[in-house]
Amino acid sequence: MEFLVRIEVRLPADVPDRERADLAASEVARGRALQDAGTIVRIWRIPGKVANVAVWKAADATDLHELLTSLPLFPWMDIDVEPLALHPLEGPRSG
Amino acid sequence: MEFLVRIEVRLPADVPDRERADLAASEVARGRALQDAGTIVRIWRIPGKVANVAVWKAADATDLHELLTSLPLFPWMDIDVEPLALHPLEGPRSG
Amino acid sequence: MEFLVRIEVRLPADVPDRERADLAASEVARGRALQDAGTIVRIWRIPGKVANVAVWKAADATDLHELLTSLPLFPWMDIDVEPLALHPLEGPRSG
Amino acid sequence: MEFLVRIEVRLPADVPDRERADLAASEVARGRALQDAGTIVRIWRIPGKVANVAVWKAADATDLHELLTSLPLFPWMDIDVEPLALHPLEGPRSG
Amino acid sequence: MEFLVRIEVRLPADVPDRERADLAASEVARGRALQDAGTIVRIWRIPGKVANVAVWKAADATDLHELLTSLPLFPWMDIDVEPLALHPLEGPRSG
Amino acid sequence: MEFLVRIEVRLPADVPDRERADLAASEVARGRALQDAGTIVRIWRIPGKVANVAVWKAADATDLHELLTSLPLFPWMDIDVEPLALHPLEGPRSG
Amino acid sequence: MEFLVRIEVRLPADVPDRERADLAASEVARGRALQDAGTIVRIWRIPGKVANVAVWKAADATDLHELLTSLPLFPWMDIDVEPLALHPLEGPRSG
Amino acid sequence: MEFLVRIEVRLPADVPDRERADLAASEVARGRALQDAGTIVRIWRIPGKVANVAVWKAADATDLHELLTSLPLFPWMDIDVEPLALHPLEGPRSG
Amino acid sequence: MEFLVRIEVRLPADVPDRERADLAASEVARGRALQDAGTIVRIWRIPGKVANVAVWKAADATDLHELLTSLPLFPWMDIDVEPLALHPLEGPRSG
Amino acid sequence: MEFLVRIEVRLPADVPDRERADLAASEVARGRALQDAGTIVRIWRIPGKVANVAVWKAADATDLHELLTSLPLFPWMDIDVEPLALHPLEGPRSG
């Protein structure tokens, strides 16, 4: 099942540069792994924000929650999840 | 997977009484069938409104959408769907 | 009487790990006790959030408030309460 | 248990004057009966609106819903219900 | 004239316990005085929140503002005020 | 006591021109009378809308509600009322 | 450039069945053409609603507007458009 | 003085095609006249909507309101006006 | 031109009493000067809040912005500005 | 393609004056460069706020995001981006 997930990162200003860089590097690595596994299907930057909107594939909401909490920046994220259903245009075409 | 589904019915005032009664009867029958099938797990009236909030069990969002559109009053419903994940308190207890 | 209760936990980042772990352990213990007592009827994790939505059974709003303030994490919780009425589908079926 | 109930009446403009007067009269009669029964504890007009806010006393949300649907103007009402708990200032004073 | 006043208290976590207890005690004392004076007509706890909703009687908005700023916790309060008008059901009944 | 009153007029398109003109004329006449009586203290058009914002003087919210319902266009108005308190800058200056 | 487009269809109840069916058929045909042309990149049904969320590819907002107004149901659609930027995870990977 | 003006047109579906075409033609003509007069400084279509956002130049809010009400489609428009101040980047550059 | 300006002051709790008193005194002095100059036409306290709503007269939005930033408490203010147009009731009366 | 970009700056009070002045100077310099390059087409101050609304020209949302993150104050900015389409009034005029 697919979900539309909107994530805004609110890392406070007082996080030291070193820790910030380490977190960013781990976040990218985890993102790539989820992408390679087919979990993050598509992902876009929301212009002007430290935020993204992405299509995630997961078994269900429980599985999705575990995947989201595996993100290194999870403690500083505001996350909104929207369930997605198959649209007829993406279903089988008769005839 | 379970979903929290909030439904408000907005049947316009100019629907004749007879049609209104027929729709209500079909709606109850369909509701009972969904309840008996274990699809509607729990359901509550929202006090003061022609509305309910319920826990639905469905394979995924596609399945849920088909179940919801099977409701006789669907064309007059405002529906909001929220995906639910397993809470640790409802998971297995160790020790 | 049942209530739909939505709880989001906003524990600040500067709470030391030890205190955080202690609070989490007490919270789980209190949650299990409320569950065993039949107060927390059902509970779900809201995916992507440190939050839950649950069905609580309490004598009335006064009783519910006392139960909610008994949660160890109460001082850091944003709580919204919605009263629930019996839905005819859960009432007695005639004939 | 007490509830804070906010009611806005949206009777459409095309309701004939006679029906409008009849509905208003029944609404007043029902309101007085509920007041005499101690169900409507206090009630105020919201200035500038065809609306009121009131304190209702009911056994629970199920009972309240039945009372609200007994109002002759119920089909044209937008109703919001908020549960109220006892405030310590209204509880017993020690010493 | 009566007003519906909604107060949420947002005392920060870093207020020392002693100061917190002193503030709470003064708040209760002031609340009782306002209640005894007939200023606070009714007051309820909003379940799940450090908040209350109450009916205040004051000469006008200027008088009400002075009364609200006399609350010891005023600097930490979010307050919303709604003017209330007499509802016909509470007016004189003819015949 | 003064109130800030915001009024938006939503006269439906199917009101005949003649009735519309009559209503407008009565509305102006009533507005002038309220202005001459010192009830409408100041009034402004909200640019781009069939709406105004005005300062009304009334004994209390009950009196204000009666004044507002005396407006010929009242049945088609969306009205929001905000109570106003004396600001120290408009109070007596010492020394 | 890609856009996230959310479309809710509000076809009024008084549209005759025949016209409704014709509109639906044209809508599907136009949707398939846009899909085949690579304009509609992905599309999902929003569960419980006559609505979809989709990723559209267009030269710019002007091009997108023309494409959206080419939909047979456009006059009855509520459409919200959000611009999408490339996310680094979808950019070239070094090393 | 400049204003940011957002206009959404809500012409009901039952306006006959002929009247609709006449209104559209008059609207374009009036728009061009306002553009030629330097009143509409810039104007954009909001993608996906029958709406525009534009920069208007007017003496003040009173003048702007008269200009807006001169639009043939004014009775069916939802208009929001935001005042704009000179930004230092558009002011004189020293040295 | 007149503007309706709503100002809420959010001075943080950790501002020392002395600085707070100095700021308040400067704010009052500046407010009186603006009042004497006819810039602040009317001003009211919003009951229950450290906030005011006022009618300001300024040449245009640029002038108003300069006047608002001249307030000593400006760095701690949340300000909302609404442009006001002349209402016909305040215009010249014919005959 | 053009975008309507709304930027509010939330520089915390504890940034030292020197750093604040340096940031402001760099921000102005960057703003002028973007203006000279034709990227910032028009820009206005929102009266009463440390905020601006501006028309930006960029290849697409990806380009715009890079331009916005090049602003020295970007880490303290709340930014909202709205895509703009060509309005017929700004298109070629026939005949």
Side-chain angles (χ1 to χ4, degrees):
Chain A
M1 176 179 164
E2 289 177 315
F3 296 87
L4 191 67
V5 179
R6 198 171 294 263
I7 297 180
E8 185 149 11
V9 181
R10 304 189 186 278
L11 204 58
D14 60 1
V15 173
D17 283 357
R18 180 65 179 275
E19 190 184 340
R20 187 179 294 266
D22 287 353
L23 279 166
S26 324
E27 187 69 24
V28 169
R30 182 70 186 126
R32 283 190 180 163
L34 289 168
Q35 207 179 20
D36 291 343
T39 298
I40 297 183
V41 179
R42 287 297 311 274
I43 183 165
W44 301 268
R45 170 73 65 222
I46 301 177
K49 297 190 184 291
V50 186
N52 67 69
V53 60
V55 179
W56 291 63
K57 181 177 282 177
D60 54 21
T62 304
D63 183 32
L64 178 69
H65 185 68
E66 275 172 35
L67 291 163
L68 290 169
T69 55
S70 78
L71 295 172
L73 287 171
F74 176 78
W76 299 276
M77 286 174 163
D78 272 0
I79 302 182
D80 284 297
V81 168
E82 196 177 348
L84 297 172
L86 179 77
H87 189 281
L89 281 181
E90 294 203 348
R93 296 193 187 180
S94 58
Chain B
M1 176 179 163
E2 288 177 317
F3 296 88
L4 191 67
V5 179
R6 198 172 292 264
I7 297 179
E8 185 150 11
V9 182
R10 303 189 186 279
L11 204 58
D14 59 1
V15 173
D17 283 357
R18 179 66 178 275
E19 190 184 341
R20 189 179 293 268
D22 287 352
L23 279 167
S26 324
E27 188 69 25
V28 169
R30 182 71 186 128
R32 282 190 181 163
L34 290 167
Q35 208 180 19
D36 291 342
T39 299
I40 297 183
V41 179
R42 286 295 314 273
I43 183 164
W44 301 267
R45 168 76 63 221
I46 301 177
K49 297 190 185 292
V50 185
N52 67 70
V53 60
V55 179
W56 291 63
K57 181 177 283 177
D60 54 22
T62 303
D63 184 32
L64 178 68
H65 184 69
E66 274 172 35
L67 291 163
L68 290 169
T69 54
S70 79
L71 295 172
L73 287 171
F74 177 77
W76 299 276
M77 286 174 163
D78 272 0
I79 303 182
D80 283 297
V81 168
E82 197 178 347
L84 297 172
L86 179 77
H87 189 281
L89 280 181
E90 293 204 349
R93 296 193 186 180
S94 59
Chain C
M1 175 178 164
E2 288 177 315
F3 297 87
L4 190 67
V5 179
R6 198 171 293 263
I7 297 179
E8 185 149 12
V9 181
R10 303 189 186 279
L11 204 57
D14 61 0
V15 172
D17 283 357
R18 180 65 179 275
E19 190 184 340
R20 187 179 295 266
D22 287 353
L23 279 166
S26 324
E27 188 69 25
V28 168
R30 182 71 186 126
R32 283 191 180 161
L34 290 167
Q35 209 180 18
D36 292 342
T39 299
I40 297 182
V41 179
R42 286 297 312 274
I43 182 164
W44 301 268
R45 169 74 65 220
I46 301 177
K49 297 190 185 291
V50 186
N52 67 68
V53 60
V55 179
W56 291 63
K57 182 177 281 177
D60 54 22
T62 303
D63 183 31
L64 177 69
H65 185 69
E66 274 172 36
L67 291 163
L68 290 169
T69 56
S70 79
L71 295 172
L73 287 171
F74 176 77
W76 299 277
M77 286 174 163
D78 273 0
I79 302 181
D80 284 297
V81 168
E82 197 178 347
L84 297 171
L86 178 77
H87 189 280
L89 281 181
E90 294 204 348
R93 296 192 188 181
S94 58
Chain D
M1 176 179 164
E2 288 177 316
F3 297 87
L4 191 66
V5 179
R6 197 172 294 263
I7 297 179
E8 185 150 10
V9 182
R10 302 189 187 279
L11 204 59
D14 60 1
V15 173
D17 282 357
R18 180 64 178 277
E19 191 184 340
R20 188 179 294 267
D22 287 352
L23 279 166
S26 323
E27 188 69 26
V28 169
R30 182 71 186 129
R32 282 191 180 162
L34 290 167
Q35 209 180 19
D36 291 342
T39 298
I40 296 182
V41 179
R42 286 297 312 275
I43 183 164
W44 300 268
R45 168 75 64 221
I46 301 177
K49 296 190 184 293
V50 185
N52 67 69
V53 60
V55 179
W56 291 62
K57 181 177 284 178
D60 54 21
T62 304
D63 183 32
L64 178 68
H65 185 69
E66 274 172 35
L67 291 163
L68 290 169
T69 55
S70 78
L71 295 172
L73 287 171
F74 177 77
W76 299 277
M77 285 174 164
D78 272 359
I79 302 181
D80 283 297
V81 168
E82 197 177 347
L84 297 171
L86 179 77
H87 189 281
L89 281 181
E90 294 203 348
R93 295 192 187 182
S94 59
Chain E
M1 175 179 165
E2 289 177 316
F3 296 87
L4 190 68
V5 179
R6 197 173 293 263
I7 297 179
E8 186 149 12
V9 181
R10 304 190 185 279
L11 204 58
D14 60 0
V15 173
D17 283 357
R18 180 64 179 275
E19 191 184 339
R20 188 180 294 266
D22 287 352
L23 279 166
S26 323
E27 188 69 25
V28 168
R30 182 72 186 125
R32 282 191 180 162
L34 289 167
Q35 208 179 19
D36 291 343
T39 298
I40 297 182
V41 179
R42 287 296 313 274
I43 183 165
W44 301 268
R45 170 75 65 221
I46 301 177
K49 297 190 184 291
V50 185
N52 67 68
V53 59
V55 179
W56 290 63
K57 182 177 282 178
D60 54 22
T62 304
D63 183 32
L64 177 69
H65 184 69
E66 274 172 35
L67 291 164
L68 289 170
T69 55
S70 78
L71 295 172
L73 287 171
F74 176 77
W76 298 276
M77 286 175 163
D78 272 359
I79 302 181
D80 284 297
V81 168
E82 196 178 348
L84 297 172
L86 178 78
H87 190 282
L89 281 181
E90 294 204 348
R93 297 194 186 178
S94 57
Chain F
M1 176 180 164
E2 289 177 315
F3 296 87
L4 192 67
V5 179
R6 199 172 293 263
I7 297 179
E8 186 150 10
V9 182
R10 302 190 188 278
L11 203 59
D14 59 0
V15 173
D17 284 357
R18 180 64 179 275
E19 190 184 342
R20 187 179 294 268
D22 286 352
L23 279 167
S26 323
E27 188 69 24
V28 169
R30 182 71 186 128
R32 282 190 180 161
L34 290 167
Q35 207 180 20
D36 291 342
T39 298
I40 297 183
V41 179
R42 286 297 311 274
I43 184 164
W44 299 269
R45 168 75 64 220
I46 300 177
K49 296 189 184 293
V50 185
N52 67 68
V53 60
V55 179
W56 291 63
K57 182 177 283 177
D60 54 22
T62 304
D63 183 32
L64 178 69
H65 185 69
E66 275 172 34
L67 292 163
L68 289 169
T69 55
S70 79
L71 295 172
L73 288 170
F74 177 77
W76 299 276
M77 285 175 164
D78 271 1
I79 302 182
D80 283 297
V81 168
E82 198 178 347
L84 297 171
L86 179 77
H87 189 281
L89 280 181
E90 294 204 349
R93 296 192 187 181
S94 58
Chain G
M1 176 179 164
E2 288 177 317
F3 296 86
L4 191 67
V5 179
R6 199 172 292 264
I7 297 180
E8 185 150 12
V9 181
R10 303 189 187 279
L11 205 58
D14 60 1
V15 173
D17 283 357
R18 179 66 179 275
E19 191 184 340
R20 188 179 294 266
D22 287 352
L23 279 168
S26 322
E27 188 68 25
V28 169
R30 182 70 187 129
R32 281 190 180 162
L34 290 167
Q35 208 179 19
D36 291 343
T39 298
I40 297 183
V41 180
R42 288 294 315 272
I43 183 163
W44 300 268
R45 169 75 63 220
I46 302 177
K49 297 190 184 292
V50 185
N52 67 70
V53 59
V55 179
W56 291 62
K57 182 177 282 178
D60 53 22
T62 304
D63 183 33
L64 177 69
H65 184 69
E66 275 172 34
L67 291 163
L68 290 169
T69 54
S70 79
L71 295 171
L73 287 171
F74 177 77
W76 299 276
M77 286 174 163
D78 272 0
I79 302 181
D80 283 297
V81 168
E82 197 177 348
L84 297 172
L86 180 76
H87 189 281
L89 280 181
E90 294 204 349
R93 296 192 186 181
S94 58
Chain H
M1 175 179 165
E2 289 177 315
F3 296 87
L4 191 67
V5 179
R6 198 172 292 263
I7 297 179
E8 186 150 11
V9 182
R10 302 190 187 278
L11 204 58
D14 59 1
V15 173
D17 283 357
R18 179 65 179 274
E19 191 184 340
R20 188 179 293 267
D22 286 352
L23 279 167
S26 323
E27 187 69 24
V28 169
R30 182 70 186 129
R32 282 190 180 162
L34 289 167
Q35 209 179 19
D36 292 342
T39 298
I40 297 183
V41 179
R42 288 295 313 274
I43 183 164
W44 300 268
R45 169 75 64 220
I46 300 177
K49 296 190 184 293
V50 185
N52 67 69
V53 59
V55 178
W56 291 63
K57 182 177 282 176
D60 54 21
T62 304
D63 183 32
L64 178 69
H65 185 69
E66 276 172 33
L67 292 163
L68 290 169
T69 53
S70 78
L71 295 172
L73 287 170
F74 177 77
W76 299 276
M77 285 174 164
D78 271 1
I79 302 181
D80 283 297
V81 169
E82 196 178 348
L84 297 171
L86 179 76
H87 189 281
L89 279 181
E90 294 203 349
R93 295 192 187 180
S94 58
Chain I
M1 173 179 166
E2 288 177 316
F3 296 88
L4 191 66
V5 179
R6 198 171 294 262
I7 297 179
E8 185 149 12
V9 181
R10 304 191 185 279
L11 204 57
D14 60 1
V15 172
D17 284 357
R18 180 64 179 276
E19 191 185 339
R20 188 179 293 267
D22 287 353
L23 278 167
S26 322
E27 188 69 26
V28 168
R30 182 70 186 128
R32 282 190 180 164
L34 289 167
Q35 207 179 21
D36 292 343
T39 297
I40 297 182
V41 178
R42 286 297 312 274
I43 183 164
W44 300 268
R45 171 73 67 221
I46 302 177
K49 296 189 184 292
V50 186
N52 67 70
V53 60
V55 178
W56 291 63
K57 182 178 280 177
D60 54 22
T62 305
D63 183 33
L64 178 69
H65 185 69
E66 275 172 35
L67 291 163
L68 289 169
T69 55
S70 79
L71 295 172
L73 287 170
F74 176 78
W76 298 277
M77 286 174 163
D78 273 0
I79 302 182
D80 283 297
V81 168
E82 196 178 348
L84 297 172
L86 179 77
H87 190 281
L89 280 182
E90 294 203 349
R93 296 193 187 180
S94 57
Chain J
M1 175 179 164
E2 290 178 314
F3 296 87
L4 191 67
V5 179
R6 199 172 293 263
I7 298 179
E8 185 149 12
V9 182
R10 303 189 186 279
L11 204 58
D14 61 1
V15 173
D17 283 357
R18 181 63 179 275
E19 192 184 339
R20 186 179 294 266
D22 287 353
L23 278 167
S26 322
E27 187 70 25
V28 169
R30 183 69 187 129
R32 282 189 180 163
L34 290 167
Q35 208 179 20
D36 292 342
T39 298
I40 297 182
V41 179
R42 287 296 311 275
I43 184 165
W44 300 267
R45 170 74 65 223
I46 301 177
K49 296 190 184 291
V50 186
N52 67 69
V53 60
V55 178
W56 291 62
K57 182 177 282 177
D60 54 21
T62 304
D63 184 32
L64 178 69
H65 184 69
E66 275 172 36
L67 291 163
L68 290 169
T69 55
S70 78
L71 295 172
L73 287 171
F74 176 77
W76 299 277
M77 285 173 163
D78 272 1
I79 302 182
D80 284 296
V81 168
E82 196 177 347
L84 297 171
L86 179 77
H87 189 280
L89 281 182
E90 294 204 348
R93 296 192 188 181
S94 57

